[in-house]
Every structure is written in C-alpha cells, then in structure tokens.
Amino acid sequence: MTPFLLTHYRSLVELGTNYAGSESERDMANGVLNFDMDTAGRTATDLMLTDVRRNFNGEKWTQNGPKVILRVLQSLCRTEHVSMGSR
C-alpha cells in the first residue's frame, strides 16, 4: 500500500500509530486519524466516541469532527492549547 502524504510532505508511515492530523497551528482535523488497539489508542478512541454521543450537534459539522479531536486532546494533554508535535 502506498502511504498518502500530508501537506508538509511527511510520509504517514513515519508517524507510526496514535496520531491525528492538524488543520493549522490552532485547529485539529479529522481527515487523518490512526489509532492502535493499545491503551493510548483505545483511550483516545473511547473518549472521542463518548464526546460525540454527549455533544452531537447536527447543525454544526465541526462540533462532530475536528472539535471532537481538539476537546479530547485538550483533556488528555491537560491543556487548552494543543499545538503540533508529539506528547
């Protein structure tokens, strides 16, 4: 399988697992997600599904996509500002 490339031309293969892509320095995106079945990946996925169940809003696409990723990362990283990079 040929990996896709991010806009920064970084191979997704290099990233391994347990990552989400960012849209900008401030905003997360849900177009690139890869979570393993290990503890970290399962925890993040469970939190995202719980968030969607609690906060779903059919009128706002970002509420159910990118904002889910952002809220979960803010919670996991215990910060308001999630920037690009690894934890």
Side-chain angles (χ1 to χ4, degrees), residues 1 15-16 35 39 60 67 73-74 76:
M1 177 177 187
L15 296 177
F35 296 103
T39 303
K60 297 180 180 177
K67 300 267 189 210
L73 288 178
Q74 287 171 326
L76 288 173

Side-chain angles (χ1 to χ4, degrees), residues 6-63:
L6 299 172
T7 56
H8 293 102
Y9 302 105
R10 183 172 178 187
S11 171
L12 295 180
V13 171
E14 296 172 17
L15 296 177
T17 58
N18 297 327
Y19 62 81
S22 64
E23 187 173 311
S24 68
E25 291 283 333
R26 290 183 13 205
D27 298 314
M28 295 306 297
N30 61 341
V32 177
L33 301 171
N34 186 358
F35 296 103
D36 203 339
M37 293 302 290
D38 64 7
T39 303
R42 185 174 291 268
T43 298
T45 303
D46 287 346
L47 289 170
M48 285 183 244
L49 292 172
T50 298
D51 184 283
V52 169
R53 190 172 53 245
R54 289 181 181 159
N55 300 306
F56 182 82
N57 182 338
E59 301 295 318
K60 297 180 180 177
W61 174 82
T62 58
Q63 173 76 9

